Every structure is written in C-alpha cells, then in structure tokens.
C-alpha cells in the first residue's frame, strides 16, 4: 500500500472533470467537493450525468479530462476499494440467492463477519425476509437488498445511486435517519436522488444539469438564493436562471 | 489472492446452483442418462471375442466430453449474468482480487465436476460394465481437469456475449468442433493432414488422449501425465485471458 497522503478536508474533490462517451460530453468541466462526515445530495433530472459522476468517483468510469480525488487518493486507486461502498442504480444482487447470502457475500469481500450482515439487514428492514430468495421479493425490497450489500462493508465513504427509489415513506425516513447516524460516526455519504423532498435532508446539495454543475450549496442557501421554501421550485428557478445566463455555472 | 474471498465466491456459486435443481440435474443426472442411451444404441452389436465393444470406446470418450460441455455451458451463462446484472462491476469495486473470482468459479465447478465424474463413471463401470484397464480415480482426475477447462473457456467466452442467447451460440463454435475432431467419430490418425493438425492443438483432444491412456494401461503412463500437464497449461492460459476481460473501469 502506498504511504498515507496528506489528509484534506474534503472526502471527494472533483476538478475540471469531463467525461466523453460516444462522442458526447456526459460531464463537462465539473468542479465539486464533498465534505467529510456529511451527507451530500447529488440532484438533477434523469440524464443529467448523476450516475456517470458517481461512477467516476468509485473508479469504474474512465475520465476523459480533469481529476477526481477520493479520500486523498486518485479515484480508482486500489487502496480505495476498502474504503468506498457503492450501490448501483439498478439493484446489483444475485436474484437466485437468499437475501442473507447476498449480504454475507458482499460483506465477506470486505472481510466483514456475520454480525455485520445482521446489522445491515436490520438497517434496511429486511431481517424478517433474510431467508427468502431475492428473486421472490418486491421491487422495493429487492433494491433494499442492494443497499444492504453496500452498508455491510461499513466503508468510510458510501456512494449511493438513488437508494430510496420505490421505498415506502416510513422506511425512507428510517433510512435517512440511519444515514445521519452514519455521519456522526465519521462516514461520508454521497447520495443521488431526483426527489426534492429528500434534498432537504442533505447537508449539502450539488445540482447537476446536462452534464454541468449548476450549483453547489446547502439547502438553506438554496432556499435563500431563490427566495422560496419549496426546494422543487428553487431548483426549477435555478435552471431558469442558468438558461437566461448560460455562460457560467453558479458556484458559492 | 485472498483465500477468504475465494472460498466465499466458490460457496456463493454453489449456493446459486443449489437453488436451481434443473442445473444440478443437467450436471449429475443427464450424463448418466446419455451413457445409457449410447449403451443401448450399441446393445446388439456383435464383436469378435476379445475385441472391445464400441461402447467401451465411445462411453469412455463421453466421460471426457460431458464435464467439458456441461461446465462450459453453465459457466458462460452464470458469468454472463454476473456481467449483465451489475454484480461483476460491484464486485470489482470491492477489495476482491480478480483471481479470487476466477478461481472461486473454477473451484466450485470442479467440485461439481468431480461429483459428476463419480456418478457418470460409476454408472459406466457398474451398470454398463465399461471395460478399462486403468484406475477409476484417474478417470475422475481427467474429468475434473476437463471441467476446469470448460469453466475457463466459459468465463472467457462470456466476455464476448451480450445476452444469454449469444452465450449459447458459442456452443457450436467453440465446443462442437472439438467434439468432432477429438477422435470420437474418426480416429485421429485416419483424418486428413489438415484436420489432424487442427485436432492436435485442440484442448479436448488432450483429454480424450489421456482417457485412452487410462483405458489402455493398468498404471498411469507418462503420456497421460503429459496430456494432463498440457491441459493444465491451457487452463492457466485461458484463465489469464479471461482475467483480462474483467476490467475494473470502462469508457
């Protein structure tokens, strides 16, 4: 393992990031940072490049131009595989295994024990269904298995791509509380969503649109800047502003 | 390589299989049934006293072909699912080493292959009185090496398929020529030069040769060990190629 580099205040630093795919810029000159031990929400309409940005951070997407540093190392550095947990947007679990076998397997890849599996299952409310085959679950339950597979690793950075899609409101509130608890233990979360209701639960927001970073601020700043309490309306107003003055993305 | 994640992977693959009784049937029961079919095909053949029955030759070769074909099929589909379901990409973001995945697969399926070989050769020996000189243990050994070869080729081929349908299309391309040229239908020394030369470099040829050595000699021969060594080298080479298809990042 390479020597521990100097510790910066951000868990993730993205600078001048451009990703080209099939001759199109999916991300264009993105600058953005994610503070440690906080929840940062990555928001934007579908097709805005959220998943691509998350994929560059976990190191599975090749970078065309720019730099992405994660926990003071370049994204994709082998040492990061121990530190970063990733939940893909489409649930990536084994449909022909039980819920518990899935979580235990991904836990084993991180050297976790059975007790961690139990914890992760209770966090997503699947304790009762632990011995059911994943294929027999409903869509929402299935994606919770995928989330548990990311939580079980107990990494320092959790990158979650739309983790609460298809969840009932009660469970959604529970999970956000769980995310909050994780940050008090020093875990950094980067969570993508297209629900503005969830944006209010984040400490920081990054708003992405058509591959460009529109704004990077706290929910309070967003409300203040746009003069509305409704985050949905605030986001729309930001988009309108950016269309009026398309030259530069706003940065606080 | 990390033994714990290798073992966890092998266990996981076996667990997936356990939930799929049909695949278990394909691995354990179908070879025995096909052997029975071959036996009854040649049931009424008249051979001069002392001469080997056709079943002794064909049945023996089938013991080499089964594990290869079945494991190629099962592995290429399982691995393709791993690629398309996103679980592979997810695994590659964990500390797991690529070798843990490949050898985990190889370990799980060679266990199944060993069981398959025990069942199939048990049926061949005790039910159909397959007549061979060498030890049944060596037959199982060759079958297992052959299964690992099928696993390795399946892992590699899955990289070039996008759907399960495409994966199955590799059967006639990769597997059938090897069966045609391994000496099952025409003895290899009676093929024309070009076909014999091709046959000389096909992996399945070495396993059939190895089994013929086991059949013809009471003790393990150097030629048999030679075949097994060549097979093992091919397996390592194919697994290495397969590991190159497991990319951690994509464009």
């Amino acid at each position: 393992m390479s020597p521990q580099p100097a510790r910066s205040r951000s868990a993730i630093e993205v600078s001048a990031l451009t990703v080209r795919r099939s001759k199109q810029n999916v991300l264009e000159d993105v600058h953005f940072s994610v503070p440690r031990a906080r929840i940062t929400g990555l928001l934007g309409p579908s097709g805005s490049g959220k998943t691509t940005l998350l994929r560059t951070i976990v190191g599975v997407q090749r970078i065309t131009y720019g730099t992405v540093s994660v926990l003071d190392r370049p994204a994709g550095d082998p040492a990061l595989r121990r530190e970063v947990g990733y939940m893909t947007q489409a649930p990536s679990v084994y449909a022909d295994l039980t819920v518990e076998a899935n979580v235990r397997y991904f836990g084993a890849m991180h050297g976790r024990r059975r007790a961690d599996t139990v914890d992760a299952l209770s966090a997503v409310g699947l304790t009762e269904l632990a011995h059911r085959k994943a294929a027999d679950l409903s869509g929402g339950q299935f994606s919770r298995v995928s989330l548990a597979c990311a939580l079980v690793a107990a990494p320092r950075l959790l990158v979650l791509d739309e983790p609460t899609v298809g969840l009932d409101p009660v469970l959604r509130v529970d999970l956000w509380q769980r995310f909050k608890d994780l940050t008090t233990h020093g875990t950094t979360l980067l969570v993508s969503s297209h629900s503005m209701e969830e944006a209010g639960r984040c400490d920081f927001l990054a708003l992405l649109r058509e591959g460009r970073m529109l704004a990077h601020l706290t929910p309070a700043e967003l409300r203040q800047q746009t003069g509305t309490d409704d985050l949905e309306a605030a986001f729309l107003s930001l988009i309108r502003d950016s269309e009026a003055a398309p030259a530069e993305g706003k940065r606080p | 390589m990390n033994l714990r994640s290798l073992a966890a992977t092998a266990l996981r693959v076996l667990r997936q299989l356990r939930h799929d009784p049909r695949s278990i049937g394909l691995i354990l029961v179908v070879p025995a049934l096909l052997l029975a079919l071959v036996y009854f095909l040649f049931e009424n053949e008249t051979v001069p006293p002392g001469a080997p029955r056709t079943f002794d030759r064909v049945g023996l070769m089938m013991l080499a072909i089964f594990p290869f074909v079945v494991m190629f099929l099962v592995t290429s589909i399982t691995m393709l699912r791993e690629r398309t379901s996103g679980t592979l990409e997810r695994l590659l973001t964990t500390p797991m080493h690529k070798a843990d995945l490949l050898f985990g697969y190889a370990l799980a399926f060679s266990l199944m292959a060993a069981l398959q070989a025990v069942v199939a050769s048990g049926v061949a020996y005790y039910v159909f009185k397959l007549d061979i000189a060498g030890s049944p243990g060596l037959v199982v050994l060759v079958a297992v090496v052959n299964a690992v070869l099928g696993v390795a080729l399946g892992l590699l081929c899955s990289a070039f398929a996008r759907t399960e349908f495409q994966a199955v299309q590799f059967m006639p391309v990769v597997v059938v020529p090897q069966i045609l040229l391994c000496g099952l239908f025409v003895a290899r020394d009676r093929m024309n030069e070009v076909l014999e030369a091709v046959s000389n470099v096909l992996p399945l040829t070495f396993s059939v040769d190895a089994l013929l050595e086991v059949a013809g000699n009471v003790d393990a021969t150097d030629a048999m060990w030679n075949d097994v060594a060549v097979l093992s080298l091919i397996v390592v080479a194919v697994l290495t190629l397969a590991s190159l298809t497991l990319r951690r990042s994509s464009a």
Side-chain angles (χ1 to χ4, degrees):
Chain A
M1 205 187 273
S2 45
Q4 191 65 45
R7 195 170 193 267
S8 85
R9 279 169 54 223
S10 312
I12 304 172
E13 285 282 0
V14 173
S15 126
L17 173 67
T18 296
V19 172
R20 271 182 95 73
R21 233 169 26 196
S22 20
K23 296 185 180 161
Q24 274 212 316
N25 280 354
V26 186
L27 293 174
E28 210 173 315
D29 196 29
V30 170
H31 294 262
F32 138 86
S33 67
V34 171
R36 285 174 194 263
R38 293 281 184 277
I39 305 178
T40 299
L42 179 61
L43 298 149
S46 79
S48 56
K50 298 190 295 288
T51 296
T52 304
L53 180 54
L54 298 184
R55 284 170 46 91
T56 59
I57 288 166
V58 297
V60 297
Q61 169 66 53
R62 245 173 259 149
I63 294 169
T64 312
Y65 182 78
T67 58
V68 177
S69 103
V70 178
L71 301 171
D72 307 311
R73 295 175 190 274
D77 188 291
L80 287 175
R81 288 182 213 137
R82 310 191 168 279
E83 315 277 5
V84 180
Y86 175 41
M87 176 195 175
T88 50
Q89 190 170 14
S92 44
V93 298
Y94 299 99
D96 45 2
L97 285 184
T98 64
V99 173
E100 193 217 5
N102 266 297
V103 180
R104 186 138 42 102
Y105 179 57
F106 283 104
M109 295 302 115
H110 285 272
R112 303 293 163 197
R113 304 281 159 190
R114 196 177 273 258
D116 303 296
T117 304
V118 174
D119 278 354
L121 283 177
S122 86
V124 298
L126 284 179
T127 309
E128 312 277 295
L129 300 175
H131 299 291
R132 284 268 282 280
K133 217 164 107 174
D136 299 337
L137 303 177
S138 74
Q141 291 165 339
F142 195 70
S143 73
R144 269 142 72 194
V145 181
S146 192
L147 178 57
C149 291
L151 292 178
V152 70
R156 285 166 64 201
L157 170 66
L158 263 173
V159 177
L160 308 175
D161 201 350
E162 311 223 344
T164 55
V165 166
L167 295 194
D168 62 81
V170 179
L171 198 67
R172 194 181 289 212
V173 171
D174 283 356
L175 268 176
W176 278 95
Q177 187 53 51
R178 172 90 183 186
F179 294 163
K180 203 108 227 163
D181 294 347
L182 284 172
T183 61
T184 62
H185 293 102
T187 307
T188 305
L189 285 97
L190 176 59
V191 181
S192 83
S193 174
H194 55 234
S195 141
M196 288 300 147
E197 176 249 315
E198 291 186 339
R201 301 178 182 280
C202 300
D203 299 309
F204 295 92
L205 297 176
L207 306 181
L208 203 59
R209 185 166 184 271
E210 289 176 355
R212 289 170 171 275
M213 197 55 84
L214 216 54
H216 185 200
L217 31 61
T218 66
E221 284 168 346
L222 176 59
R223 290 192 185 97
Q224 195 190 5
Q225 208 175 76
T226 55
T228 166
D229 265 352
D230 180 353
L231 287 173
E232 183 107 41
F235 188 45
L236 289 173
S237 124
L238 268 186
I239 291 177
R240 247 175 269 124
D241 288 357
S242 77
E243 277 165 355
E248 278 300 308
K250 279 189 190 154
R251 301 247 300 144
Chain B
M1 200 146 62
N2 174 327
L3 279 184
R4 196 164 165 237
S5 46
L6 190 157
T9 301
L11 208 62
R12 184 264 293 176
V13 172
L14 289 174
R15 281 214 179 90
Q16 283 179 289
L17 209 54
R18 200 185 66 188
H19 289 290
D20 185 3
R22 220 188 269 200
S23 297
I24 298 179
L26 175 72
I27 294 171
L28 297 184
V29 183
V30 171
L33 292 178
L34 291 177
L35 270 177
L37 183 71
V38 173
Y39 176 82
F40 288 113
L41 265 179
F42 294 107
E43 191 186 21
N44 295 326
E45 136 190 90
T46 47
V47 282
R53 298 174 299 168
T54 307
F55 177 76
D56 290 328
R57 189 177 63 84
V58 175
L60 179 77
M61 288 186 187
M62 289 185 78
L63 289 179
I65 294 170
F66 289 140
F68 176 67
V69 174
V70 171
M71 294 307 165
F72 175 83
L73 198 59
V74 175
T75 311
S76 55
I77 300 285
T78 318
M79 191 61 187
L80 185 79
R81 277 196 209 143
E82 187 107 68
R83 288 175 194 274
T84 52
S85 69
T87 48
L88 179 66
E89 182 167 287
R90 179 173 216 162
L91 279 177
L92 291 177
T93 66
T94 72
M96 158 192 259
H97 196 280
K98 289 176 194 173
D100 301 341
L101 184 69
L102 294 172
F103 286 104
Y105 264 94
L107 178 63
F109 286 127
S110 39
L111 283 176
M112 290 309 290
L115 280 179
Q116 178 190 58
V118 168
V119 173
S121 35
V123 169
Y125 284 118
Y126 296 109
V127 182
F128 303 122
K129 311 291 177 216
L130 181 74
D131 185 19
I132 64 172
S135 137
L138 291 175
V139 174
V140 173
L141 172 77
V142 175
V144 168
V145 177
N146 235 352
V148 179
L149 175 70
V151 170
L153 279 173
L155 290 172
L156 179 63
C157 286
S158 75
F160 304 100
R162 293 194 169 275
T163 62
E164 298 186 0
F165 184 43
Q166 287 186 354
V168 175
Q169 289 165 6
F170 280 110
M171 279 284 289
V173 179
V174 175
V175 174
V176 175
Q178 301 201 47
I179 297 178
L180 290 177
L181 293 176
C182 74
L184 177 67
F185 296 101
V186 176
R188 295 197 314 112
D189 51 13
R190 285 167 51 199
M191 292 176 187
N192 76 38
E193 281 162 32
V194 178
L195 291 185
E196 192 182 352
V198 174
S199 147
N200 281 340
V201 295
L202 292 179
L204 194 61
T205 305
F206 291 93
S207 12
V208 168
D209 270 0
L211 275 189
L212 290 174
E213 287 292 320
V214 177
N217 303 280
V218 178
D219 294 314
T221 61
D222 287 346
M224 188 215 83
W225 288 122
N226 203 18
D227 286 331
V228 171
V230 172
L231 275 175
S232 311
L233 281 179
I234 296 176
V235 166
V236 171
V238 175
L239 279 179
T240 309
L241 282 178
S243 79
L244 297 179
T245 69
L246 301 178
R247 298 218 189 88
R248 290 201 192 258
S249 67
S250 59

